[in-house]
């Protein structure tokens, strides 16, 4: 088991159960998450017998770097090998407010979106909480930067690995852990309705983004197989429920694909669907992938779409692409190396 798999409370329990004082957990987490050392033997204020206990029960060896690509815009993309030869991706993105890490939650994805490189292959397995934490520590170590925000938008559907995802949040958000504020963490879901409702009651201030990508079932079903299970209306109702319970604004993700979901009429339909909701639309230029036959929406269409939403009083931002020169789209690097 990875040492990063333990929550603070679990480590404390383990230490106490083995006959040692609670404060050792505090010291160990300080080494793990403040000093970021990667060997128990370096914990030089911890007695030998506890070091042995840790070595006997836990490991650091979670990830091995296979590829590290740096883009002209400062984006750094890693391909990591989990110890069982499964490959995952982690991306660091440079923003004016700091460095943000995009983490993977599953090896592959079962949601099967037709535009996504990760969805083409069946999910092999879920990542443990510690394997998600380790991505941040490894990426920081390999690039010498400090991550100040996290987006859970790498390979996989986090709400399909809900328990480990919640555990991951508790480790990175903990003041003695990576201490990344909940407001600096964003989770993106393809719209698993029951989980959106459950997440509303979690009681932490993590930001929620929902991948809508279309204002009607006709277009959304072409893009996302999951739409056969949870229709646009149900997803929108779940978002309304989440906003009602948490009083928080939700991000609507909308990837822009040429001649598919980028017309002015579609923008009007989207505006009507979202009218009066506390949401913010993130318009993302589609990154072409070899697995799918879609093209990125033209700049002209993207600008007209954005303008239409604004005219209808919908808050929206038109994103610049990041890291296109290094295949930073979700799952691309992995699929090229399988
Ligand atoms: N499974 C979750 C989170 C991972 S995908 C979800 O679908 O929300 C994170 C985001 O990347 C989603 O909004 C997804 O639609 C988007 N995405 C996937 N492939 C993409 C591509 N080729 N270009 C642009 N965005 C893409
Ligand atoms: Fe899975 Fe998200 Fe890709 Fe869809 S877009 S296949 S949900 S990772």
């Amino acid at each position: 088991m990875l040492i990063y798999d333990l929550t603070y409370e679990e480590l404390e329990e383990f230490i106490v159960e083995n006959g040692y004082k609670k404060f050792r957990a505090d010291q160990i987490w300080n080494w793990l998450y403040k000093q970021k050392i990667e060997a128990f033997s370096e914990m030089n204020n911890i007695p030998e017998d506890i070091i042995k206990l840790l070595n006997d029960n836990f490991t650091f060896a979670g990830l091995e770097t296979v590829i590290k690509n740096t883009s002209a815009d400062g984006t750094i993309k890693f391909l990591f090998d989990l110890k069982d030869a499964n490959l995952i991706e982690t991306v660091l993105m440079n923003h004016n407010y700091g460095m943000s890490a995009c983490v993977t939650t599953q090896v592959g994805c079962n949601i099967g979106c037709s535009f996504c490189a990760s969805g083409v292959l069946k999910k092999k397995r879920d990542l443990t909480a510690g394997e998600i934490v380790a991505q941040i520590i490894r990426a920081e170590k390999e690039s010498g930067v400090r991550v100040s925000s996290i987006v859970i938008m790498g390979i996989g559907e986090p709400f399909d690995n809900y328990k480990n995802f919640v555990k991951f949040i508790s480790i990175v958000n903990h003041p003695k852990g990576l201490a990344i504020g909940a407001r600096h963490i964003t989770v993106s879901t393809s719209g698993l309705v029951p989980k959106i409702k459950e997440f509303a009651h979690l009681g932490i201030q993590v930001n929620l983004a929902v991948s809508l990508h279309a204002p009607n079932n006709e277009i959304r079903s072409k893009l996302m197989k999951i739409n056969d299970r949870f229709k646009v209306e149900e997803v929108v109702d779940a978002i309304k429920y989440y906003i009602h319970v948490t009083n928080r604004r939700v991000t609507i993700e909308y990837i822009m694909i040429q001649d598919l979901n980028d017309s002015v009429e579609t923008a009007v339909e989207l505006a009507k669907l979202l009218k009066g909701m506390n949401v913010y639309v993130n318009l993302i230029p589609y990154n072409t992938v070899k697995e799918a036959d879609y093209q990125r929406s033209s700049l002209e269409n993207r600008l007209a779409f954005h303008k239409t939403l604004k005219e209808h009083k919908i808050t929206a931002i038109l994103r610049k692409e990041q890291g296109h020169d290094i295949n930073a789209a979700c799952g691309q690097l992995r699929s090229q190396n399988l």
Side-chain angles (χ1 to χ4, degrees):
M1 190 184 201
L2 280 177
I3 186 68
Y4 305 120
D5 275 318
L6 296 185
T7 62
Y8 187 76
E9 293 70 28
E10 285 171 343
L11 178 63
E12 234 179 25
E13 205 181 308
F14 174 81
I15 292 290
V16 172
E17 261 173 16
N18 281 281
Y20 298 103
K21 291 260 184 335
K22 252 188 185 177
F23 79 97
R24 295 294 179 193
D26 202 295
Q27 290 180 317
I28 295 166
W29 262 41
N30 185 56
W31 284 114
L32 293 178
Y33 297 114
K34 307 297 179 202
Q35 316 299 327
K36 296 176 188 159
I37 56 99
E38 289 177 288
F40 295 117
S41 56
E42 287 177 39
M43 300 182 169
N44 62 23
N45 57 357
I46 307 286
E48 278 299 309
D49 46 348
I50 301 185
I51 301 268
K52 181 171 182 325
L53 179 73
L54 293 172
N55 263 321
D56 288 347
N57 286 278
F58 305 105
T59 169
F60 279 96
L63 304 172
E64 205 172 285
T65 307
V66 182
I67 296 176
K68 177 186 171 193
N69 281 342
T70 305
S71 166
D73 63 15
T75 306
I76 308 174
K77 179 147 190 168
F78 296 93
L79 185 70
F80 291 129
D81 190 349
L82 297 163
K83 287 296 159 160
D84 56 4
N86 281 315
L87 300 173
I88 59 163
E89 294 175 20
T90 306
V91 184
L92 294 181
M93 290 165 293
N94 208 346
H95 300 292
N96 48 15
Y97 51 83
M99 204 62 162
S100 128
C102 175
V103 295
T104 285
T105 53
Q106 298 179 311
V107 183
C109 183
N110 276 347
I111 304 296
C113 302
S114 60
F115 55 83
C116 173
S118 308
V120 172
L121 301 159
K122 281 248 162 264
K123 177 185 91 176
K124 291 233 186 100
R125 70 172 176 88
D126 290 331
L127 295 199
T128 68
E131 285 171 329
I132 314 176
V133 174
Q135 292 171 52
I136 297 174
I137 310 243
R138 276 256 51 85
E140 281 188 331
K141 285 258 181 178
E142 299 246 351
S143 53
V145 302
R146 165 134 165 56
V147 166
S148 58
S149 60
I150 300 173
V151 292
I152 305 160
M153 293 190 186
I155 300 167
E157 168 51 53
F159 282 5
D160 183 39
N161 186 14
Y162 193 75
K163 240 179 70 207
N164 292 342
F165 149 73
V166 170
K167 200 169 173 188
F168 162 76
I169 300 277
S170 99
I171 296 167
V172 293
N173 180 231
H174 200 289
K176 294 179 198 285
L178 287 178
I180 294 176
R183 286 169 188 274
H184 299 278
I185 304 174
T186 302
V187 59
S188 173
T189 177
S190 58
L192 303 189
V193 166
K195 289 294 178 214
I196 294 177
K197 292 183 178 163
E198 193 176 336
F199 187 60
H201 294 283
L202 194 64
I204 47 169
Q205 310 273 303
V206 169
N207 305 306
L208 175 67
V210 179
S211 297
L212 195 63
H213 304 327
N216 62 51
N217 291 314
E218 194 195 331
I219 303 178
R220 197 165 188 266
S221 288
K222 279 188 201 157
L223 294 172
M224 307 174 78
K225 209 171 59 189
I226 193 76
N227 198 61
D228 298 340
R229 249 171 84 203
F230 304 115
K231 298 266 176 271
V232 169
E233 302 74 38
E234 292 173 77
V235 175
V236 169
D237 278 350
I239 297 170
K240 284 182 180 161
Y241 177 85
Y242 176 90
I243 295 169
H244 174 74
V245 172
T246 63
N247 209 12
R248 293 181 59 86
R249 179 189 264 196
V250 171
T251 301
I252 303 292
E253 283 171 283
Y254 198 99
I255 54 168
M256 300 206 59
I257 301 178
Q258 183 68 30
D259 298 332
L260 211 135
N261 64 355
D262 66 341
S263 72
V264 166
E265 297 75 58
T266 311
V268 173
E269 204 181 340
L270 183 65
K272 286 189 178 146
L273 183 71
L274 302 178
K275 191 166 181 251
M277 288 171 69
N278 186 17
V279 294
Y280 154 106
V281 181
N282 209 353
L283 299 172
I284 310 156
Y286 178 63
N287 270 326
T288 48
V289 299
K290 70 170 178 357
E291 289 80 2
D293 207 12
Y294 298 124
Q295 297 307 315
R296 170 177 309 168
S297 174
S298 67
L299 185 59
E300 193 191 348
N301 286 5
R302 280 184 267 154
L303 289 170
F305 198 98
H306 186 212
K307 186 162 162 270
T308 308
L309 289 183
K310 285 206 296 195
E311 282 166 1
H312 284 76
K313 309 263 179 302
I314 300 288
T315 317
I317 182 161
L318 189 56
R319 289 274 167 213
K320 281 189 309 202
E321 47 172 326
Q322 273 200 321
H324 198 243
D325 55 333
I326 55 164
N327 289 327
C330 169
Q332 268 185 282
L333 204 55
R334 170 172 177 258
S335 73
Q336 279 168 9
N337 286 275
L338 285 176

